[in-house]
Structure formats: structure tokens, C-alpha cells
Amino acid sequence: MTFTPTSLLITGGAGFIGSSTVRRAVAAGVSKIVVLDALTYAGHRINLGDVMSAVTFVHGNICDAALVNGLFAQHAFDSVIHLAAETHVDRSIESAAEFVQTNVVGTLTLLDASMRAWAAPNANTERRFVHVSTDEVYGSLGPTGHFTESTAYAPNSPYAASKASSDLLVRSFHRTYGLPTVVTNTCNNYGPRQLPEKLIPLMIAHALSGKKLPVYGKGAQVREWLHVDDHADSLWLALTQGAAGESYNFGSGEETDNLRMVERLADTVDEVSGNPKGMSRALITFVEDRKGHDFRYAIDSSKAKAAFGWQPKRTLAHDLRAVVEWYRDNEEWCRLVSSDEHSRFQAAYYKDREGTGGAK
Ligand code: NAD
Ligand code: TYD
């Protein structure tokens, strides 16, 4: 059975994946879309650009129960896609408090509001609460194996622990109150509008401006990369076809170690900028490794393939170059999202890390 959302709340819609998800929902023709976003250092109105006029944008915090309850009363949501979160592992290592506040308390606030609004005894309307999570909740893999939906949670970073906590709260609201929840666990994303403090946009932005490319440790860690618009498609599938109470893993199958990814990005920047071959690779600098650095994430997507015919449309081979070109062509965006707070974090985080990394 397919669910057709008519009044949809998207949290974190001014962020990287959120803004692609809003575009997906607008393209699907949902009649009412409300975006709730606190516009932290990671959220920017500019990310919504052309679709801003198609949504009701609310600048506010998901931890604000009065605001969230009021929005449910005002808009009679039948669906939620919950993306708002603190998302950067390195920031969670520096300070975890905000991660617990937004990711755990904020998720609880939304679950409470949904449970209350959807508890009316005569309500037989179909509803869905999609909670967007990560493969990092499963912990770290060795060189082989994949995470399935039944892999035990073993989060290692404070970020992953906060996401795991929120996933478990979602599970409890389904089991205890029958809230029609769907949880998605997805691998690392790449694409336009990702804040340049995550691996791919950071390396592109640095290579474009001739700055060093800081690889943690020896760059041997492996990540699986999914294009952000494929992620948005997967969330749409989860919302419209996901079974209440289920969780689904969405991956791309495209694994690569960090050093190979950075070399590939450096070469692509050189290609699109007309630089001499190898110019950006010379910027690679090995820096102190991340504390508790997970070695490898890899997802088994067979459940989503069987349930929805899940198959990503984009590949690194075909789409990474366009992403590099997007950052090259959107210097103004890069400047606008580089707030003082973002710059301060960058400066503090990378200070003293150089020269302490592994050798090539
Ligand atoms: P992001 O950091 O780019 O955006 C987060 C958004 O949430 C921002 O717009 C920010 O302003 C907003 N926000 C933060 N705290 C808020 C609060 N208290 N109230 C309201 N809004 C708040 O993150 P992203 O990379 O787009 O990730 C979105 C979701 O997807 C997160 O839940 C993340 O855990 C999950 N996820 C991300 C990835 C990835 O590779 N980026 C992979 C799997 C899952
Ligand atoms: P990141 O984009 O922060 O995503 P996550 O930690 O959620 O996987 O990092 C991806 C990988 O890249 C991770 O193994 C850490 C590594 N990394 C670097 O080597 N250098 C960097 O400057 C950054 C930001 C990440």
C-alpha cells in the first residue's frame, strides 16, 4: 500500500540532506510542506533557494515543545521526515552536549508531539513518522562484512551514540504507543550544499583554494558513499511505502578508503580547474587521527531492495565531477555558509594536528 502525505513536516530542511529532501517532496506535489529549522551553523536559507516559496518555513528549535505542539495543531501534519540533528563526528568529539540536546531531546520532543496529535480515538487517517538515521549506530566493521537491520547497535562516537539513542526512542514510541514510525539508516552522503567541514566538500574547497588537504591518520578508513539526491529518493520511499515499525538500511555499495577518495577529489579539482596533473595531490597532508576513528562502514541494502526495489541512480564515476563543479561554481555559497562559528571550529580543530599523522 502506498501512503500519500498531504501535510508534511520536514525538520532540518535547511541543511544538506534536508534541502534535497524538501526538493523531492515539492517535486512529488505534497500540498502542504512545513520546514522547521533552527538555522544553526549548518542550516542556511540559501539551501532552499528555488523551493523556499513552495514551503512554509519556520525558524525554530525542535526542542521547543510549545512551538512543535503548536505546529501540529496548526497544520494537522499526517507525516514527518525528521532530519534535524547535530551531525559532525569531530564536533561531537570536542563537545557532546549539543548532540544529546538536539538529537535525543529534540527527537523526543517531536515523538511526544506526534503521539499526542495522532492519538485521537476517532483518527483513522494514515500517518508516518520517518526518522532519518545513520549506519554509524552499528559501530565499526573490519575489512569484510556488512551491517543489516538486525546488526546490534554499538555506536562509538558521541554523534553515533546520540543517533542510536534517538533511534531507540523512536522504536519505543512504536512499541509503546503504536506510533507509525519508520527508521532509515544510511551511509555517508555527498553532493551539493554539504557544509565544507565534512570530508568531501572540505577537500574540494581546500583544493580549489590551494589549501592543505588534511587526511586523518593514514587515510585507510573506508566509507560507503551515496549521492544526496538518492538519499532523498530513499526517504521518499520510506515515507510512502515503508511499513510502520520497520527500519531500512540504504546504501550505495560504493566503498572507498579516505586516501583514495581524497586523491580522486584532488585529481578532479585539477581536471575541472585546468591545473597541471598532480598539483592538488601535493597538498595532501597526513594529520593526527580522529579519536576512536571507526575503520569501516558498509551497508547491506537487501531489505530495501526487496521492499522498494531500491537502487541508487547516481554513481561516483558519473556524478562526483558534477559535485566538484558545483563547489567551483558556487564560491558565493561557500563564503555565505562559512560563518564565524564555522571558521572558529575549523581553526581550533586543525590547530596542532599537522605533523602528527601517519606517513604516506
Ligand atoms: P546538516 O548538519 O547539514 O543539517 C542539519 C540541519 O538541522 C541544519 O539545517 C540545522 O540548522 C538543523 N538543526 C540542527 N539543530 C536543530 C534544532 N535543534 N532544531 C531545528 N533544526 C536544527 O546535516 P545533514 O548531513 O543534512 O544530515 C541530516 C540528517 O541525516 C541527520 O539526522 C543525520 O544524522 C542524517 N544522516 C546524515 C548522513 C550524512 O552523510 N550527512 C548520513 C546518514 C544520515
Ligand atoms: P566525515 O565527512 O566527517 O564523515 P563521518 O565521520 O561521519 O564518516 O568523515 C569521513 C571520513 O573522512 C572519516 O573517516 C574521517 C575522514 N576525514 C579526514 O580524513 N579528514 C578530514 O578533514 C575530515 C573532515 C574527515
Side-chain angles (χ1 to χ4, degrees):
M1 203 186 71
T2 304
F3 165 66
T4 307
T6 58
S7 182
L8 170 64
L9 171 65
I10 301 182
T11 71
F16 166 50
I17 301 167
S19 56
S20 172
T21 304
V22 171
R23 285 187 172 78
R24 182 67 185 80
V26 169
V30 180
S31 42
K32 187 193 280 188
I33 301 169
V34 176
V35 173
L36 173 60
D37 198 297
L39 299 178
T40 68
Y41 66 90
H44 299 276
R45 289 174 199 269
I46 190 180
N47 288 343
L48 287 166
D50 48 322
V51 286
M52 188 57 116
S53 58
V55 304
T56 301
F57 184 82
V58 180
H59 180 193
N61 199 305
I62 56 165
C63 301
D64 182 343
L67 171 68
V68 172
N69 286 320
L71 290 175
F72 268 86
Q74 187 184 349
H75 298 286
F77 300 125
D78 58 15
S79 44
V80 177
I81 303 181
H82 171 37
L83 297 114
E86 285 292 331
T87 63
H88 191 178
V89 173
D90 292 329
R91 283 180 183 260
S92 79
I93 293 168
E94 295 295 292
S95 171
E98 205 52 46
F99 286 72
V100 173
Q101 185 60 27
T102 286
N103 300 1
V104 184
V105 178
T107 300
L108 177 61
T109 308
L110 287 163
L111 289 168
D112 255 328
S114 312
M115 191 260 288
R116 283 173 214 291
W118 295 349
N122 60 351
N124 54 4
T125 323
E126 187 80 10
R127 277 131 178 181
R128 279 292 178 274
F129 185 113
V130 175
H131 174 66
V132 181
S133 192
T134 163
D135 55 2
E136 303 190 25
V137 297
Y138 298 120
S140 180
L141 290 166
T144 57
H146 292 83
F147 300 128
T148 70
E149 289 77 0
S150 52
T151 301
Y153 274 27
N156 292 317
S157 71
Y159 163 66
S162 69
K163 291 298 289 187
S165 309
S166 64
D167 294 8
L168 296 181
L169 279 170
V170 172
R171 175 189 157 92
S172 77
F173 269 67
H174 174 70
R175 295 293 278 251
T176 307
Y177 307 110
L179 197 75
T181 57
V182 178
V183 176
T184 63
N185 296 91
T186 305
C187 62
N188 286 63
N189 283 211
Y190 66 99
R193 303 181 191 84
Q194 185 171 30
L195 195 68
E197 55 179 48
K198 304 277 175 72
L199 180 77
I200 289 186
L202 181 138
M203 296 299 166
I204 298 171
H206 280 211
L208 284 170
S209 53
K211 282 161 66 177
K212 287 181 180 166
L213 310 181
V215 173
Y216 298 168
K218 293 183 165 58
Q221 290 79 12
V222 176
R223 296 293 182 263
E224 178 177 348
W225 294 99
L226 178 73
H227 193 283
V228 66
D229 294 339
D230 280 320
H231 191 169
D233 286 345
S234 78
L235 297 181
W236 193 252
L237 290 171
L239 176 67
T240 56
Q241 295 180 44
E246 292 295 322
S247 67
Y248 300 93
N249 284 353
F250 290 96
S252 63
E254 294 212 272
E255 290 183 47
T256 172
D257 67 58
N258 291 339
L259 181 56
R260 257 197 307 147
M261 175 54 88
V262 174
E263 288 175 343
R264 187 170 183 172
L265 291 166
D267 293 347
T268 312
V269 166
D270 288 345
E271 269 167 45
V272 307
S273 308
N275 295 337
K277 210 167 172 339
M279 186 174 132
S280 294
R281 278 196 191 210
L283 299 168
I284 292 175
T285 312
F286 294 92
V287 302
E288 183 187 344
D289 208 350
R290 175 184 278 173
K291 291 188 181 74
H293 201 168
D294 283 342
F295 175 66
R296 175 171 166 262
Y297 307 134
I299 277 187
D300 178 340
S301 310
S302 1
K303 182 175 171 183
K305 281 183 186 151
F308 316 124
W310 161 248
Q311 181 61 50
K313 297 192 190 85
R314 292 103 185 152
T315 59
L316 288 169
H318 191 264
D319 297 276
L320 193 61
R321 185 186 166 103
V323 173
V324 172
E325 287 169 342
W326 189 90
Y327 288 94
R328 181 200 59 189
D329 298 341
N330 286 275
E331 247 183 278
E332 174 66 1
W333 179 90
C334 290
R335 202 182 52 72
L336 280 173
V337 303
S338 294
S339 60
D340 290 350
E341 197 279 338
H342 167 67
S343 308
R344 265 198 307 278
F345 171 78
Q346 292 282 96
Y349 192 77
Y350 289 101
K351 185 164 76 71
D352 300 334
R353 295 181 85 82
E354 275 190 35
T356 51
K360 199 165 182 178

